[in-house]
Structures are given as C-alpha cells and as structure tokens.
Amino acid sequence: GPGADLVSSRWIIDATRHILRTRNPDLALCYVPHLDYDLQRFGPRDPRSLRAAADLDAELAPLLEEAEAEGRTVVVLSEYGIGEVSRPVDINRALRRAGLLEVHTQDGMEYLDPMTSRAFAVADHQLAHVYVRRPEDLPRVREVLEDLPGVGELLGDEGKKEHGLDHPRSGELVAVAEPDAWFTYYYWLDDARAPDFAQLVEIHRKPGYDPAELFMDPLDPYVKVKAAGALARKKLGLRYRMAVVPLDPSPVRGSHGRLPQRAEEGPVLLCSRPGEVAGSLAATEVKPLLLRLAGIA
C-alpha cells in the first residue's frame, strides 16, 4: 500500500531467515516488495530508486550470508523489468465515451456494470484484457482503441496465439501500451462520482491494477492524519477505512508488461550455483529450474 517501504522488505527478509533456521525447508520463496514499489513510484533512473536498490542490497546481505553458510543455492528472480512511463491511458473511459461501457449508480457513485457493458477492459500495467460481449461489436471496439493515444498494439486471435495469451479467460482483444504509457482502470468521467473503493487500497474491487495506491493523496492536507487514525482503529480491532489513494494517476513513473525493447530492460535471473543457467530462460522454465535445484524434480 502507500506506506510500503524498506521496513516491509526488512520484515519479510527477517521472517525468511527465521523460517530457514527453524524449519529447514527444501524450497523457500521470498518476495521482497519495496524495490518494485519504488521503481513504480519514481521510475528506474530516479536517484531514489537507485538508493532503494542499494538499501535493499544491504538488507539482503545477512540472508545471503546465512544461506551460503548453510550450503543453500540462492536464485534471485525479477519477473519483469520496469520501464519509465509518463502517460496514463484511460482505456475504460474511452470505451464508455463510445457507448460501449455501462455503469450503475448507487448513492451518487458509479460502478462498472460488466453484465450490461458491450465492452470493458481489465487493466494490468501496460497490458489490458478487453472483453467484448458480442462478436459484431469487435470492429467498433477495435476502431475506438486503435484511435486511443498510448495504445501501441491490439492483439486479436492470431496475436494472442503468437504471444501465448490465447487462454479461455483472456479478453477478446489484448491491448499493449506504447513504451512510455500504461493503462488505468478508471471508468468514471467525473471524480465526484468515483466509486467508494477508488481511494482505498482495494485490489479485489477494482477492475485492474491501480499503481496510484502507492501514493498518498497530495490534494488532501489531512491525508496523513486520516491514515494514522485509520491505523489506530485497526490496531484497536475497530472498523476502519484507509481512504488515502489519489485519483490522479500522473505521478506514476514506472511500469511493465510490454516485451522489453532491449535485453537489459528485461527481467533478471541470478543463480549462486555456477553453470546451472546458461543463456536466457523462458518464464515457463523457471519452475522446473527451481525444482531441480531443490532436488525435488
């Protein structure tokens, strides 16, 4: 959420060290979030991101030293490389303006109605799955999105097959953003009618990923006071509402989802056991590698 920082990563690293000491697992998986979050906030070249990488390196040192002392093999994996972005693309708003996306209103707030919409998008960073109810609407949806600034490519049936995205649950179209762009999930046209969850860290009700959750609303002068009050209610076991997320997506400076333009912008896999990894790996080859290194496969 908005407060995720080095403290979160440190807690997870210490928990992993505890598990390794007390449980001796064959395979331990540890996700360290704060570097991912800072690069999305600030972009990969920002001095704050470089400092976050150095800070994380220092925090990981005890874990790596203990793993080496115990004779463990360590694999460091990033699932993606984060690129610099500056343009949010409101793909659902474009579908709504074209009369393809429908909402229902409750207490003055608008909620996406997927059952009556002819088309809507589920946004995920630089990809968006576009679900189209009727085949006859596909040409119109494609026309709307091809004219939308920031959309670099629209994958239909053949394109999805080429990229391994032809899953039954994939959208009828998959939109790929241009290198400096990314997709918001927003569908309301007036912030005064945004749904109640829009300013919450709420991953299950939003039709797509919301990197604005990594920020606190700069337009609210009392945002930190509200956050502190909500946290206090949480600790007391009371109901609380952490409404601190901004509705302005423009501060986001890092995203991912496109295939990298250069190899150095892509994901990284490092292995402490020499000779086990040669050249590049497909993402689908990572699991067999880990099982083999753990002696499970």
Side-chain angles (χ1 to χ4, degrees):
D5 57 14
L6 186 62
V7 176
S8 303
S9 294
R10 182 182 297 130
W11 189 96
I12 294 171
I13 291 168
D14 288 344
T16 304
R17 295 169 63 194
H18 172 77
I19 291 294
L20 293 178
R21 287 195 302 264
T22 61
R23 301 296 188 272
N24 192 32
D26 294 319
L27 175 65
L29 303 178
C30 171
Y31 170 58
V32 184
H34 107 279
L35 186 59
D36 182 358
Y37 291 172
D38 275 356
L39 265 69
Q40 291 184 59
R41 289 187 183 102
F42 310 128
R45 292 182 175 85
D46 188 279
R48 290 168 291 185
S49 296
L50 302 180
R51 185 168 61 249
D55 291 343
L56 183 61
D57 185 63
E59 292 296 332
L60 283 170
L63 172 61
L64 298 178
E65 290 167 1
E66 290 173 12
E68 182 180 17
E70 294 170 6
R72 293 184 175 274
T73 299
V74 176
V75 173
V76 179
L77 171 67
S78 63
E79 295 178 82
Y80 39 78
I82 293 180
E84 290 189 78
V85 294
S86 58
R87 286 192 294 161
V89 180
D90 297 330
I91 188 169
N92 275 320
R93 284 173 171 162
L95 294 172
R96 182 173 180 185
R97 290 188 178 103
L100 296 162
L101 182 149
E102 301 292 338
V103 301
H104 69 268
T105 302
Q106 182 176 337
D107 293 334
M109 296 175 287
E110 294 179 343
Y111 298 86
L112 172 67
D113 191 342
M115 301 305 293
T116 62
S117 294
R118 291 159 60 191
F120 66 92
V122 176
D124 185 14
H125 300 273
Q126 292 183 301
L127 289 182
H129 285 263
V130 184
Y131 295 91
V132 184
R133 180 172 296 279
R134 297 191 297 267
E136 56 266 31
D137 282 330
L138 270 171
R140 175 59 178 152
V141 174
R142 182 178 284 277
E143 178 186 15
V144 169
L145 298 185
E146 284 178 341
D147 290 339
L148 182 61
V151 174
E153 191 175 4
L154 278 177
L155 306 179
D157 290 342
E158 292 303 315
K160 288 189 294 181
K161 288 179 183 177
E162 179 183 347
H163 292 284
L165 296 173
D166 55 336
H167 189 276
R169 295 182 181 175
S170 292
E172 279 66 34
L173 297 172
V174 175
V176 183
E178 292 181 346
D180 65 336
W182 62 277
F183 295 117
T184 73
Y185 78 92
Y186 305 158
Y187 54 81
W188 57 91
L189 304 180
D190 180 352
D191 282 349
R193 302 180 71 82
D196 56 350
F197 55 73
Q199 291 192 274
L200 305 179
V201 177
E202 179 55 86
I203 64 173
H204 297 296
R205 298 175 68 191
K206 297 178 181 180
Y209 175 66
D210 182 13
E213 291 184 358
L214 299 174
F215 300 88
M216 285 192 174
D217 190 351
L219 299 180
D220 185 348
Y222 304 107
V223 65
K224 291 187 177 180
V225 175
K226 290 179 180 178
L231 188 60
R233 292 181 63 86
K234 177 183 178 181
K235 290 183 176 180
L236 291 171
L238 303 174
R239 291 179 63 124
Y240 69 98
R241 189 170 182 268
M242 190 80 73
V244 298
V245 176
L247 297 178
D248 175 12
S250 62
V252 175
R253 286 294 175 265
S255 191
H256 64 88
R258 292 174 47 88
L259 291 176
Q261 294 181 290
R262 299 180 299 171
E264 56 265 34
E265 296 175 346
V268 173
L269 187 146
L270 308 174
C271 181
S272 66
R273 193 186 300 177
E276 292 290 346
V277 181
S280 60
L281 291 179
T284 51
E285 296 177 289
V286 172
K287 178 183 174 181
L289 170 68
L290 295 181
L291 295 178
R292 177 167 56 81
L293 292 174
I296 297 173

